[in-house]
Amino acid sequence: MGCNPLKKKKVEDTMVALFTFGELEIGVLTLIFLLPVLAAFPTWLIGRVRNDFSKYFALIISSIVMLLAILAWMMFENNSLLPASLHADRTLLATGGWSLTEDIAWIASIGMNYSLGVDGLSLPLVMLGGFIFVVAILASFNDINEREPAYYAMILLLETGVIGTFVATDFIVFFVAWELVLVPMFFLIGIWGGPKREYAAIYFFIYTHVASLFLLLGIIGMWLQTATTDAMVLTGLSSGTFSFQQMTYLAQNLVGGFGIELPVLLIFLALLFGFIVKVPSVPFHTWLPLAHVEAPTPGSMILAGLLLKMGGYGIMRMSGWFLPEALSEFAWLVAIIGLVSLLYGSWVALRQVDMKSLVAYSSVGHMGIILLGVATQTEAGFAAAMYMMIAHGIISPLMFFVAGTIGHSADTRDIPKLKGIAKQMPITAAVLVFGSFASAGLPGLAGFWSELLAFIALFSMEATMTIPVIGLTITGSAIALIGALGIIFTAAYYLWMLQRTVFGDVNPELKHAHDVSHLPQYLTLGLLCLFTLLLGLFPAFLIDLMSTASGFFASMF
Amino acid sequence: MSDVLSVFLPFIALCGTIFLCLILESTSFGRRYIAPIAILGSLVSLFFVIVGINGTDIIYLFGNPADLFDISSTDGLFVIDNFYLFFAMIFLIVLLFVATSSMDYISSERTIGVYYALLIFSSIGMMLVSAANDLLVLFVAWELGTIPAYALAAYQKSRKETSESALKFFLIGAMSSAFILFGISLVYGIVGDTRLSAVVTSFSNIADYSPLHLLALMFLIVGFGYKMAAVPFHAWAVDVYEGTPTTITTFLAAGSKAMGFAAVFRIFVTGLTDINETWGILFAILAILTMTLGNVVALVQDNIKRMLAYSSIAHAGYILIALAAVTFSPNSTLSSTLDYTVAEFSVAAAQLHILTHALMKIVAFTVVIVVAFSLKSEKIEDYAGLRKKHPWLAIGLTFSFLSLMGIPPLAGFISKLFILFSAIYADLLWLAVIGILNSAISIFYYLRVIKLMLIDQPLEDQDVTAIPVDRIAPFSIPLSYRLTIGISVLLIVLIGIYPAPFIDFALSAASNLVP
């Protein structure tokens, strides 16, 4: 195309002006982080004028956020389509640093900053977040029919919380975003949920809030670790700090990192507890099936696709970037929790009657693989965990959407009652089969690669994990062998579920059931299936994106 | 000279307002201007206080009998520092909002001039307590802060429960004053002086303590404990909060309680104790008892004012955590490395929490006032479906409760964070964990009300015999309440998002106070 160079220059200048904000030092990440929350209240207001406005407005805002996330990715990758002045500084990435950073003093007296940044670990999650919210809003179009203005305002508030957790590089900003998620999720379950919604909402809120409070204790503990004399010589600050950057720097440069003294181990346990409740791992998983069953379908999609990833992200960030020594010390614990979650989650999923509940327990199982990947302390293990987060982040919303659609049109989600839905709702049934296979790890679909990587990592794991007190040493291969059982269970419950629901004669009670028929529903299904397939066919895209992060992770051990 | 004048300006504004209120009371045409003038007066006074913040010098008043304007003598009766300014700011904010919300609450009563005059008198007393540098001055200021409150508590004579609770308030208050006075006289008997600087020297070493020293301190703690509504001295608070007119409940929960803390900080942090573990354990036990009892009993309340009263007790417990942390400071392993010592940090945390707690309670009680007018009920179950009748009230109360729970990014989170921070900073991990567990308990009762308001259907919808909502004449909320709730909610959000100036102010106040 004969593009006028002068015109091109002008376009570039405008872009630079738009996304660097000159002296203010506000960048694209701040826009991604704060745009949804700023739009939440207007959404509610214009929804009071006319109900429909709120959903279109919310869709527009979330699409803008997704486009901004893609822009951030292009800036991060130094994409040649962008002018050079928009390219991110990648020099710090190899040493565990962040890119596209923003840093503004917030409470200077205790070293609290408003600082954002992305790296190979958080950027894919930011993109996933932007994507899932667009899809969830599309899925809400036919699902949510009452109090729409408040609903879409809550969804946008939730988006700020979720994405903020991933872009924050200051522990307090992280915690604020982390806690911010609770309030809109409470209302989403409590107002638009199923029959036992109030109980489920309060249960969810209290369970995860208590865990967050322990997380907060751990965060304060981390601050005190950065306020020792040795640490302050290194950071050059006159107080402790909440900055991720500084903590990573200290973990590398203090002699022996933060060490494995009792306070550090306690901090590790407090943080781990805060994170695994969100993941959730057995035995702290009980809120999840309840919340999933009662939440509205889009709420379940966000819950499974993103909220669980916050916990996984927290564990990976904490163990690789700040407390690697403590992770080595507690690798046995993390591995056992992961293994138990994998086995127990998939075992219990076999016996579930409600389809949403089955998918919820399958999430518990799959999240166990994240813990196993982290526990190996290797590059492959980290990549497995990362890949599982993204793959599960796309497949589980797909499964929840299908389950919700079936529940909506057949008036039941009980697997024994659903029979032969392939005849009544062919598209839904086809997607159900596709999603189940993807989730069970069929080669060529997204779920496969993370399981493959996880088992490679476990078999090739050199470090041994010794359980203190009883002195039992467990190896990666042993865990892999036992864990394989979980994979078999996973295939079993999906196949059994498919066999009971999709095929066979139609249950006469389901004659009224109808297939998906609206454009937003097609879009939701299409987008999620497309990315499941793409991630299955081209794993290198994601693995390359996070290669700096996984390399750094392995280098810390 | 000009320094001294700037110290007096807030008081001059308040006294002038009292004078105007009483004059206008006696004229028939001026009566309706009383409330606006009282609001304006407190606003002007608040302005003068905030303007005075910039000075970092500590001013001592009346220390030198020969020269009234000598401000350097540490024997002065009053000490004007950032600590005083911080509390003056809290008291004046409370006064401002209580005066505003009283505009429509008290208008039917005949003697509104007296009402506002008493309100302002009490605020002056509270401000003087936080500036007192002499035990006798402290006691006189304490009485000036308390006695008008007795009259205010009994202001709606026609209500039966008001008279009962006012009498209870008066008897308990008089007893606690007696405790304080007895404590002070014991101190005078030991030291032969009532100036804080002299008292501190005598009490500075715990090895020299006689039984009398301990007895004096015990009397003082009990006396102040009543005002702070710390367990086991809390029993009066719930009945009084429930029975008094709700504007005065706000005043007691937000202002009067803060006065108790101001006095404790002035006396116990500046010196009456050899700051060490013995006292820390005592305050820690008080803190645990107070917050646990407050939170647990609040769970089973069905009257919203009683629930808020217990929540107020629980929050006094959180503030006591910081007080316990103050006394632990020399033991902390970290105190040498940082800009701020543990003591300074803890005092700042407590002050910040007193400020945010005041704002949250102002919102909560003002919503209770409006709902009581609109629904004729103070029962929690009648809050069901409040969003249909008063969406903005429901949102305002939700903000206040989320902040009381400590959900970021609201003010309550920041101050609770600082309190936990101070506890861990002082190596009191166990106390922080107990505080966290309490915070978890408290979620139940706050969340129950939020669920009722925003999720549930109104009772009328469930009960077919009742009149449907839309047929009841709409109740329009008077502007005074809207302003009170709106501005306080904005402040809660503002302090949550941009706490730095408030924290820096609290820290500088704390470093003024801590020796």
Side-chain angles (χ1 to χ4, degrees), chain A residues 106 147 190 198 209 232 238, chain B residues 337 387 443 451 454 456 497:
Chain A
W106 186 20
R147 296 173 72 179
E198 287 167 9
H209 182 68
M232 280 160 63
S238 60
Chain B
T337 52
R387 66 183 169 86
I443 297 169
K451 185 201 78 133
L454 294 181
D456 287 0
I497 291 174

Side-chain angles (χ1 to χ4, degrees), chain B residues 229-257:
Chain B
V231 176
F233 319 115
H234 66 287
W236 63 275
V238 184
D239 289 340
V240 171
Y241 284 10
E242 187 193 359
T244 46
T246 313
T247 46
I248 300 308
T249 312
T250 322
F251 193 66
L252 295 180
S256 188
K257 175 176 282 204

Side-chain angles (χ1 to χ4, degrees), chain B residues 136-433:
Chain B
L136 271 183
V137 170
L138 181 113
F139 181 75
V140 172
W142 180 274
E143 290 297 285
L144 182 58
T146 316
I147 292 174
Y150 300 145
L152 288 170
Y155 212 72
Q156 287 181 326
K157 281 176 295 205
S158 48
R159 287 175 64 200
K160 200 176 98 218
E161 63 266 42
T162 299
S163 319
E164 183 198 328
S165 72
L167 190 63
K168 203 175 251 174
F169 183 39
F170 172 69
L171 289 176
I172 297 282
M175 191 176 73
S176 75
S177 296
F179 272 114
I180 295 170
L181 198 55
F182 201 67
I184 292 175
S185 54
L186 281 176
V187 170
Y188 183 74
I190 299 162
V191 186
D193 203 336
T194 56
R195 287 168 305 168
L196 264 187
S197 50
V199 173
V200 166
T201 345
S202 167
F203 278 74
S204 64
N205 189 357
I206 203 161
D208 303 340
Y209 275 24
S210 64
L212 267 187
H213 281 77
L214 289 180
L215 200 62
L217 291 182
M218 278 303 159
F219 273 113
L220 285 176
I221 286 186
V222 171
F224 295 138
Y226 273 110
K227 200 47 106 188
M228 296 188 291
V231 176
F233 319 115
H234 66 287
W236 63 275
V238 184
D239 289 340
V240 171
Y241 284 10
E242 187 193 359
T244 46
T246 313
T247 46
I248 300 308
T249 312
T250 322
F251 193 66
L252 295 180
S256 188
K257 175 176 282 204
M259 173 174 79
F261 279 104
V264 167
F265 279 123
R266 248 320 165 212
I267 294 188
F268 285 84
V269 176
T270 332
L272 266 192
T273 59
D274 176 9
I275 294 176
N276 69 14
E277 262 186 58
T278 326
W279 289 106
I281 292 290
L282 182 74
F283 281 122
I285 290 171
L286 272 183
I288 293 170
L289 285 177
T290 307
M291 60 191 175
T292 312
L293 186 124
N295 280 323
V296 171
V297 182
L299 287 175
V300 295
Q301 300 305 316
D302 53 8
N303 179 302
I304 191 132
K305 275 172 91 174
R306 287 185 85 86
M307 189 202 97
L308 286 172
Y310 278 110
S311 122
S312 194
I313 292 173
H315 277 266
Y318 299 144
I319 299 167
L320 283 168
I321 292 182
L323 201 58
V326 175
T327 45
F328 265 87
S329 54
N331 292 341
S332 170
T333 44
L334 283 160
S335 47
S336 58
T337 52
L338 299 179
D339 290 357
Y340 299 100
T341 64
V342 180
E344 287 169 349
F345 200 85
S346 313
V347 171
Q351 285 176 308
L352 197 66
H353 199 74
I354 291 169
L355 173 67
T356 56
H357 173 258
L359 286 172
M360 299 182 287
K361 280 288 142 73
I362 287 168
V363 176
F365 280 118
T366 313
V367 171
V368 169
I369 294 175
V370 183
V371 173
F373 272 124
S374 172
L375 305 185
K376 311 275 180 293
S377 168
E378 285 172 0
K379 279 214 158 74
I380 290 178
E381 64 196 40
D382 288 326
Y383 278 64
L386 187 67
R387 66 183 169 86
K388 287 210 168 155
K389 259 170 249 164
H390 300 298
W392 294 101
L393 280 187
I395 291 174
L397 193 56
T398 303
F399 266 94
S400 157
F401 278 7
L402 287 177
S403 181
L404 282 166
M405 278 192 251
I407 300 290
L410 299 173
F413 164 70
I414 298 287
S415 54
K416 204 176 265 184
L417 170 75
F418 269 69
I419 283 182
L420 290 177
F421 214 123
S422 64
I424 297 180
Y425 198 171
D427 290 347
L428 287 171
L429 183 62
W430 52 277
L431 193 56
V433 170

